[in-house]
Amino acid sequence: MPTTKDIYRKILKWKYRNISNKQFTNIASAIIGLLAGLGAVTLKNATHLIQHLLEGEFIKEIHSAFYFIFPIIGLLIVLFLVKFVIKKRVGHGIPSTLYAISKQKGIMPKHQMWASILTAPITVGFGGSVGLEGPTVATGAALGSNFAQLFRLNQTTKTLLIGAAAAGAMSSIFKAPIAAIVFAVEIFSLELTLASMIPLLLASITAILTSYFFLGDDVLLHFNIQDKFELNDVLFYISLGVFTALISVYFSKVYFAIAKLFRKIEKPYQKLLVGGISLGVLVFLIPPLFGEGYETINNVLKGNILEVVQNNIFNSISDNIYLVILFLLGLIIFKIVATSLTFGAGGIGGIFAPTLFTGSLAGYVFALFINYTNVFGHKLSLINFAMVGMAGLMAGVLLAPLTAIFLIAEITGGYELFIPLMIVSSISFIITKRYIPHNIYAAQLAKKGELITHNKDKNVLMFLDTDSLIEKDFISTKPKKTLGELLKENVAKSSRNIYPVLDDEQHFMGIVLLDDIRPVMFNQTMYDKIRVSDVMTSAPEVILSADTTEKVMQKFKESGAWNLPVVKGGIYVGFISKSKLLTAYRNKLIEVTA
């Protein structure tokens, strides 16, 4: 009776004989789109089930009193699951996917396929102020990566399937297939060619069909255009672009600052207590901060602003319009804090929903202020500005202007707001990019030089593993040794013309070049008079453990050397040669662009 391994081998043999790599990639993309769609549906339904249970008949009567405790309970359950069930680190959605593409050759751990499905619904369902989009993308990407690993696909195809899974996840969530493709290209820096377009399309289509099959016509955001774009509004949309850029910079700065504070807390339980209690207090005082916030967003888009402002600890709000504006500004300010606290406390989620939340309120508040101050004698469409404000925050916080434009355009069911979407998104992106070079997803990777971009040369350099290029057949010597000992132990036994000089603890001190000792190497009277320290020189450059491949290449260029020593923590490791580095670069370029 054939074993599972035998069947697996037969399937692989049949695939190699009968299906080309291009055909299989297209088939795999459709399958992965289906799986990503199922992952999105599972995450959404699990979250809604938890929220439904927490708002049951018994709890509903005292629900406001539980706003404080729900987030802490949810975070505690997540911590328990991560520590005792998953037993491995659960990466934060899109950042972990970007890291897998840039530094792990597209390999994502198997537990990522189901870890977010367990943890994200509990985080959000119990009131964590984050979204489900990041975990959904990470789940889909892990499915794509492991599917590619199963069929032994190369790195290029693996990366493409991860992008296809991400597109499928976004398509399923928002029912916006074109925006989903743009998102995959923009966030994951995929190369948009005909070869990559077809897999992205197939994944996006199958995912959205899966979503329609299980969820019907239900959509996250409900919006109908009632007011058309007017030319007189252009200056106000430009101003909205600046306003959303300012909020985007604030969003990123607060997120990074709070994340830095939580990194100083070593113990997970301490993080949970500090973050959970702080989040609980915020959610208790300002209930709209509870969970993803799509209910608030939809109320804003429908013009039901009273439903939003009355949802506070006092269940009322003054009729004073400026107090209403202040309350809405407070929601923007503290939503960002609540999101950052959720992540800091160990919650699993994404920043997509908080970005849409703050964007809709930013646009609405801007238009409301203009209308009621009546300084310009011009009335703006509150709903249109709320919708376009969402694009402004997406373009600024995610640094993804094209995704912002196409997503909002698809959600609105047309392109009547396309011009204001372009104006606000481009201005918000340009200003934010000036102060925040990399978005929240990519900041940590960019700092380490591990971020994949649309620059092909930089990507190839980043994919190279410099450790594999280190040559260790250089014979070292000591500074106190004589010229005679150097000739006998190094020159006579080595085919190299460089000899590293190390102290007794293997710390790198310098090098001896064969060219430098050639004038005296045949003068035997000098063998005992000259020591290594007399002919030793400093290396033109030293490659450190923290150096990226791009930095290594730059050091070769500036020094003009053909071999440079590698030092880790002061300890000598070996040498890297320029010729070997260039050969590895050329081979990787062929592999990546194949």
Side-chain angles (χ1 to χ4, degrees):
M1 184 175 178
T3 63
T4 306
K5 286 186 177 180
D6 293 332
I7 296 170
Y8 172 62
R9 289 195 193 98
K10 286 181 180 179
I11 292 172
L12 284 179
K13 286 180 182 178
W14 182 86
K15 167 188 159 310
Y16 288 130
R17 290 173 183 169
N18 298 282
I19 304 177
S20 68
N21 186 59
K22 185 177 179 181
Q23 290 172 329
F24 186 77
T25 301
N26 291 338
I27 295 168
S29 298
I31 295 170
I32 287 165
L34 171 66
L35 295 174
L38 289 172
V41 169
T42 304
L43 274 162
K44 185 175 180 181
N45 285 341
T47 305
H48 289 177
L49 175 62
I50 292 170
Q51 290 172 339
H52 177 73
L53 292 173
L54 293 181
E55 293 177 357
E57 289 301 320
F58 171 70
I59 297 177
K60 200 167 188 179
E61 298 298 322
I62 51 173
H63 193 260
S64 60
F66 274 79
Y67 269 123
F68 173 77
I69 199 68
F70 279 153
I72 300 173
I73 294 172
L75 292 168
L76 188 61
I77 295 171
V78 168
L79 179 61
F80 175 83
L81 288 172
V82 172
K83 192 168 183 179
F84 298 105
V85 179
I86 301 170
K87 297 180 181 178
K88 293 176 183 175
R89 183 178 175 274
V90 181
H92 277 301
I94 294 171
S96 62
T97 306
L98 286 170
Y99 179 76
I101 293 172
S102 62
K103 298 305 291 182
Q104 301 294 321
K105 299 183 179 180
I107 296 173
M108 295 186 72
K110 290 181 174 61
H111 75 272
Q112 282 289 146
M113 292 189 289
W114 52 272
S116 292
I117 293 176
L118 273 184
T119 55
I122 293 170
T123 300
V124 177
F126 277 85
S129 203
V130 290
L132 292 172
E133 296 79 14
T136 306
V137 170
T139 300
L143 288 166
S145 171
N146 282 277
F147 187 91
Q149 291 175 58
L150 183 66
F151 287 94
R152 300 175 184 175
L153 302 178
N154 60 34
Q155 184 178 346
T156 305
T157 308
K158 208 178 295 173
T159 302
L160 179 57
L161 291 182
I162 289 174
M170 289 297 293
S171 177
S172 179
I173 293 167
F174 290 104
K175 291 188 169 66
I178 303 301
I181 294 171
V182 175
F183 169 82
V185 171
E186 202 165 25
I187 296 296
F188 295 107
S189 298
L190 296 180
E191 209 173 335
L192 192 59
T193 62
L194 188 60
S196 64
M197 177 61 79
I198 300 303
L200 291 174
L201 277 170
L202 289 170
S204 190
I205 291 166
T206 51
I208 195 172
L209 290 175
T210 304
S211 181
Y212 272 115
F213 180 81
F214 287 100
L215 302 176
D217 293 330
D218 182 38
V219 291
L220 278 177
L221 300 174
H222 304 275
F223 178 80
N224 292 311
I225 294 178
Q226 298 174 352
D227 304 306
K228 292 185 178 181
F229 165 68
E230 295 180 9
L231 191 60
N232 293 337
D233 293 341
V234 169
L235 287 176
F236 296 102
Y237 281 118
I238 291 172
S239 301
L240 178 61
V242 175
F243 183 56
T244 53
L246 292 174
I247 297 174
S248 298
V249 172
Y250 167 76
F251 193 123
S252 299
K253 293 279 188 184
V254 169
Y255 179 88
F256 293 139
I258 293 178
K260 187 177 180 181
L261 286 174
F262 273 94
R263 279 197 294 272
K264 294 177 181 178
I265 305 173
E266 295 181 2
K267 295 181 179 179
Y269 290 106
Q270 290 178 347
K271 290 182 179 182
L272 188 149
L273 284 174
V274 173
I277 292 172
S278 302
L279 176 64
V281 170
L282 272 180
V283 169
F284 178 73
L285 296 174
I286 315 172
L289 301 181
F290 190 91
E292 291 178 284
Y294 280 111
E295 184 179 351
T296 298
I297 297 171
N298 282 314
N299 278 323
V300 171
L301 297 180
K302 291 174 184 176
N304 300 334
I305 202 65
L306 287 177
E307 293 289 330
V308 178
V309 296
Q310 286 179 351
N311 191 3
N312 58 70
I313 191 173
F314 305 108
N315 292 319
S316 63
I317 193 81
S318 170
D319 292 334
N320 188 318
I321 192 65
Y322 294 106
L323 286 179
V324 172
I325 290 172
L326 284 174
F327 179 78
L328 295 178
L329 286 173
L331 281 180
I332 294 171
I333 291 168
F334 289 109
K335 179 66 175 181
I336 297 163
V337 175
T339 297
S340 304
L341 288 172
T342 305
F343 284 123
I348 305 298
I351 62 163
F352 219 97
T355 301
L356 297 177
F357 181 98
T358 51
S360 64
L361 289 172
Y364 193 94
V365 164
F366 178 87
L368 189 64
F369 180 78
I370 296 295
N371 287 351
Y372 278 88
T373 52
N374 205 30
V375 174
F376 301 97
H378 183 71
K379 296 294 181 183
L380 304 176
S381 170
L382 297 172
I383 311 305
N384 283 5
F385 270 73
M387 182 58 83
V388 176
M390 292 164 67
L393 257 292
M394 284 176 61
V397 175
L398 307 183
L399 294 180
L402 293 178
T403 300
I405 293 167
F406 282 97
L407 180 62
I408 304 304
E410 281 194 273
I411 289 171
T412 59
Y415 293 88
E416 291 183 39
L417 293 178
F418 209 72
I419 293 173
L421 287 171
M422 292 173 68
I423 292 170
V424 174
S425 297
S426 58
I427 291 173
S428 180
F429 172 78
I430 290 167
I431 295 174
T432 308
K433 185 77 172 173
R434 172 72 178 78
Y435 298 98
I436 309 292
H438 302 284
N439 63 30
I440 288 169
Y441 299 140
Q444 289 299 318
L445 291 176
K447 192 180 290 185
K448 298 175 185 176
E450 297 174 346
L451 177 64
I452 187 169
T453 68
H454 285 285
N455 186 318
K456 190 184 294 182
D457 287 333
K458 284 188 176 182
N459 290 345
V460 173
L461 286 173
M462 185 183 58
F463 287 143
L464 286 177
D465 179 14
T466 51
D467 285 346
S468 65
L469 303 177
I470 297 174
E471 299 175 65
K472 299 184 179 181
D473 59 341
F474 291 78
I475 302 175
S476 64
T477 186
K478 305 288 183 184
K480 292 182 179 180
K481 287 194 174 183
T482 63
L483 175 61
E485 289 173 322
L486 177 69
L487 294 173
K488 182 180 179 181
E489 297 172 7
N490 294 73
V491 178
K493 295 180 180 179
S494 174
S495 60
R496 301 287 189 172
N497 59 0
I498 301 177
Y499 314 105
V501 182
L502 313 178
D503 65 10
D504 293 335
E505 296 175 346
Q506 299 299 300
H507 289 107
F508 180 77
M509 299 183 70
I511 57 172
V512 174
L513 299 173
L514 184 61
D515 288 344
D516 290 343
I517 60 173
R518 200 183 304 277
V520 293
M521 64 186 293
F522 296 109
N523 186 350
Q524 295 184 8
T525 61
M526 304 299 291
Y527 283 8
D528 293 325
K529 294 180 180 180
I530 296 176
R531 296 193 177 276
V532 168
S533 57
D534 299 325
V535 291
M536 178 181 75
T537 60
S538 299
E541 276 286 1
V542 174
I543 298 172
L544 305 174
S545 57
D547 288 344
T548 62
T549 313
E550 186 179 359
K551 181 71 173 176
V552 171
M553 192 72 86
Q554 187 68 24
K555 285 185 175 181
F556 273 110
K557 182 180 178 181
E558 292 174 354
S559 66
W562 280 96
N563 293 280
L564 288 177
V566 181
V567 174
K568 294 185 178 181
I571 304 298
Y572 165 78
V573 178
F575 275 79
I576 290 180
S577 70
K578 183 191 284 187
S579 59
K580 193 166 185 179
L581 180 61
L582 291 173
T583 300
Y585 170 81
R586 185 170 60 252
N587 293 337
K588 181 60 71 173
L589 180 64
I590 293 168
E591 178 187 335
V592 170
T593 56

